Amino acid sequence: MTVDDATGEPAAEAFDAAASDAPVDALATRPRFARTALLAVVFVCAACGLVYELALVSLGSFLIGNTATQASIVLAVMVFAMGIGSLAAKPLQPHSVTSFAVIELLLALLGGLSVMALYAAFAYLELYTPALIVVAFVLGLLIGAEIPLLMVLLQRIRRQEAGAAVADMFAVDYIGALIGGLCFPFLLLPFFGQLRGALVVGLVNAAAGCFLVFVIFRKSLRRTQLVLLSAAAIGVVAALIAGLALSSRFEVTARQALYRDPIVAAQRSAYQDIVITESRNGAGADTRLYLNGDLQFSSVDEHRYHEALVHPAMAGRHSSVLVLGGGDGLALREVLTYPGATDVTLVELDAEMIRLARTDSRLTALNRGSMTSPRADVVTADAFNWLRGSDERFDVIVVDMPDPDDSATAKLYSTEFYAMVRAHLAPGGRVVVQAGSPYFAPKSFWCIASTMRAAGLPATPYHVDVPAFGDWGFHLAGTDGPVAPMVDAPTPLRFLSPEQLSAATVFPIDRQPLDLPPSTLMDPRILRYAQGEWATY
């Protein structure tokens, strides 16, 4: 080993000689082009690696919810595995070309099929989290082994100081990660979806690795190595293409395994997985809507939920009404039964949900065409941001949001959100909030009450029986203080009566109010409560 006289450290050429399996000049192209091509491959590999990470996080948030936990698991496991992979790559450096080829093909195959494998584990085996940890660890291991091997290959093309080589390598790597991070939400998800997007990235990953090995460093390979690696590359590409060809059929089959009844409509929007099922029996059809696997309503008893949600708030002045959420149009249907409701606005985040509520015959039959009513202004927007940018005031505000079991919805159950809701109430106005089950999720239910109270909306809690959900609760408040639920509907209701509402405000001894601190944007207690309670529901 030669030693640098100035530093006493091993000279760079000693590192290069030990870390190569062929002479430095064993290149199929000019060194300058070879070096540029290698850095381009580093760029592509970094982009693909980050997409694999984001795909795992995104899939978990769609299937499980709880985005923060999913992101923490994936990132922690993958970063740890990347460190292990970097160490594991040290003995592979004398065979850097063949080792890189094998690692890149494995990464392309496993990364491309990762979403499909995890979806299958979720749909068929109910082993999603253990499978996620294994997949994240294996992918991190392979990603971590890339950089040390690419560093060796870079030095084989042109020897340079270690610091300069590291700077060049990581600069390109970080830029690639940036591009991969931007391509995932703005290109891959909208055009390919999660399943096919991962497969497409796997093909890109395989192509980049094959280009570096079979074009730039092919002279470094013996004939036997070239034949074996070529066969492996063909096999990997064939498997990924087959995955693309079968992905639609697989997704339909796996999705159906998650639901009891036949799926009659399914759509993956930018925000959620929308599924409509329908079963028929002697009593008629039962149409059900699911968002990210969570039941939103059953047509058999949805009227019990929506009557209890809307009508107590409408028993007063109600010429102007705001509905936040409720993109299926069922709460809006109940609002529009009041002829005096002349100025009605519905704010829904998901444009795809609005489209289905307007065009799907099953939904339009249930919502009675409310989403296309000339009396209703349907706005596609995030409710939180819409409230921040609006100065309108309403007599009634109906908050019909999904349960707060992930970070995206937890902000809609915060003190800050309810303070904005109060600011948009006209004098004497009312607000009603769907608050989950006081029986299955008591901490979440009573935390919403304390959060509304902290925002100046002391609420009256009440609960009703909705067979599809169980015991379900709501909070009704007014600008002038607590409001007693009452019904003054212009037409007879199918479920709700004054006697039933009076009973609905009574809670059994074992379901008395809990004194809990409010939930805020900076301390989303509601998220912790909901994740813990709904996980066992």
Side-chain angles (χ1 to χ4, degrees), residues 331-376:
L332 182 59
R333 174 198 68 199
E334 298 298 323
V335 170
L336 294 177
T337 62
Y338 290 79
T342 56
D343 178 16
V344 182
T345 302
L346 182 143
V347 178
E348 163 63 36
L349 174 64
D350 196 341
E352 187 58 33
M353 186 67 248
I354 294 174
R355 186 190 69 80
L356 284 171
R358 285 172 167 170
T359 60
D360 186 274
S361 59
R362 290 160 291 266
L363 294 185
T364 56
L366 288 170
N367 64 35
R368 302 174 197 157
S370 64
M371 296 294 280
T372 55
S373 170
R375 293 166 55 198

Side-chain angles (χ1 to χ4, degrees), residues 82-398:
M82 287 167 64
I84 302 298
S86 296
L87 291 174
K90 292 175 68 174
L92 302 178
Q93 290 179 4
H95 312 285
S96 53
V97 176
T98 53
S99 297
F100 177 77
V102 171
I103 287 172
E104 210 60 23
L105 290 174
L106 283 174
L107 182 59
L109 179 66
L110 298 177
L113 295 174
S114 60
V115 172
M116 183 178 288
L118 287 173
Y119 195 17
F122 179 80
Y124 298 113
L125 303 176
E126 297 185 4
L127 292 173
Y128 179 79
T129 300
L132 173 66
I133 293 172
V134 171
V135 170
F137 182 83
V138 173
L139 291 180
L141 198 71
L142 296 172
I143 293 171
E146 284 180 320
I147 290 296
L149 296 176
L150 286 167
M151 184 69 71
V152 172
L153 295 176
L154 184 66
Q155 291 287 62
R156 287 183 56 179
I157 296 172
R158 189 187 76 189
R159 294 188 180 101
Q160 62 184 125
E161 292 292 331
V166 168
D168 292 342
M169 182 75 68
F170 280 99
V172 175
D173 183 80
Y174 293 148
I175 295 173
L178 169 67
I179 300 303
L182 294 176
C183 284
F184 179 72
F186 298 115
L187 178 62
L188 291 170
L189 281 182
F191 289 97
F192 298 103
Q194 297 218 82
L195 196 61
R196 284 169 285 281
L199 290 164
V200 168
V201 172
L203 285 170
V204 172
N205 202 165
C210 289
F211 172 77
L212 185 65
V213 172
F214 297 126
V215 176
I216 305 301
F217 287 100
R218 70 171 182 269
K219 290 185 177 180
S220 300
L221 299 172
R222 294 188 294 273
R223 182 178 296 274
T224 303
Q225 293 174 319
L226 190 61
V227 170
L228 291 176
L229 289 176
S230 298
I234 292 172
V236 168
V237 172
L240 293 173
I241 292 176
L244 277 173
L246 298 172
S247 59
S248 296
R249 182 183 302 176
F250 167 82
E251 187 171 5
V252 170
T253 305
R255 181 188 283 124
Q256 183 61 71
L258 299 173
Y259 299 95
R260 180 192 67 183
D261 301 325
I263 294 174
V264 293
Q267 185 67 45
R268 172 81 73 175
S269 75
Y271 304 101
Q272 57 199 347
D273 192 28
I274 306 170
V275 171
I276 302 173
T277 68
E278 187 173 70
S279 65
R280 291 188 175 274
N281 50 47
D286 179 8
T287 302
R288 297 185 172 219
L289 172 67
Y290 295 85
L291 300 181
N292 289 339
D294 294 332
L295 177 65
Q296 302 303 301
F297 70 77
S298 165
S299 62
V300 173
D301 57 21
E302 57 81 14
H303 63 280
R304 300 172 70 95
Y305 170 88
H306 290 101
E307 286 184 5
L309 172 70
V310 172
H311 293 281
M314 299 290 287
R317 192 172 64 250
H318 53 254
S319 61
S320 59
V321 181
L322 171 65
V323 181
L324 299 176
D328 50 32
L330 299 181
L332 182 59
R333 174 198 68 199
E334 298 298 323
V335 170
L336 294 177
T337 62
Y338 290 79
T342 56
D343 178 16
V344 182
T345 302
L346 182 143
V347 178
E348 163 63 36
L349 174 64
D350 196 341
E352 187 58 33
M353 186 67 248
I354 294 174
R355 186 190 69 80
L356 284 171
R358 285 172 167 170
T359 60
D360 186 274
S361 59
R362 290 160 291 266
L363 294 185
T364 56
L366 288 170
N367 64 35
R368 302 174 197 157
S370 64
M371 296 294 280
T372 55
S373 170
R375 293 166 55 198
D377 179 20
V378 178
V379 179
T380 304
D382 174 79
F384 194 98
N385 293 329
W386 188 88
L387 288 175
R388 292 183 67 184
S390 171
D391 57 2
E392 295 183 63
R393 288 177 174 259
F394 301 87
D395 297 323
V396 177
I397 298 180
V398 178

Side-chain angles (χ1 to χ4, degrees), residues 68-93:
T69 298
Q70 296 299 313
S72 298
I73 291 174
V74 171
L75 296 179
V77 171
M78 289 193 77
V79 169
F80 168 74
M82 287 167 64
I84 302 298
S86 296
L87 291 174
K90 292 175 68 174
L92 302 178
Q93 290 179 4

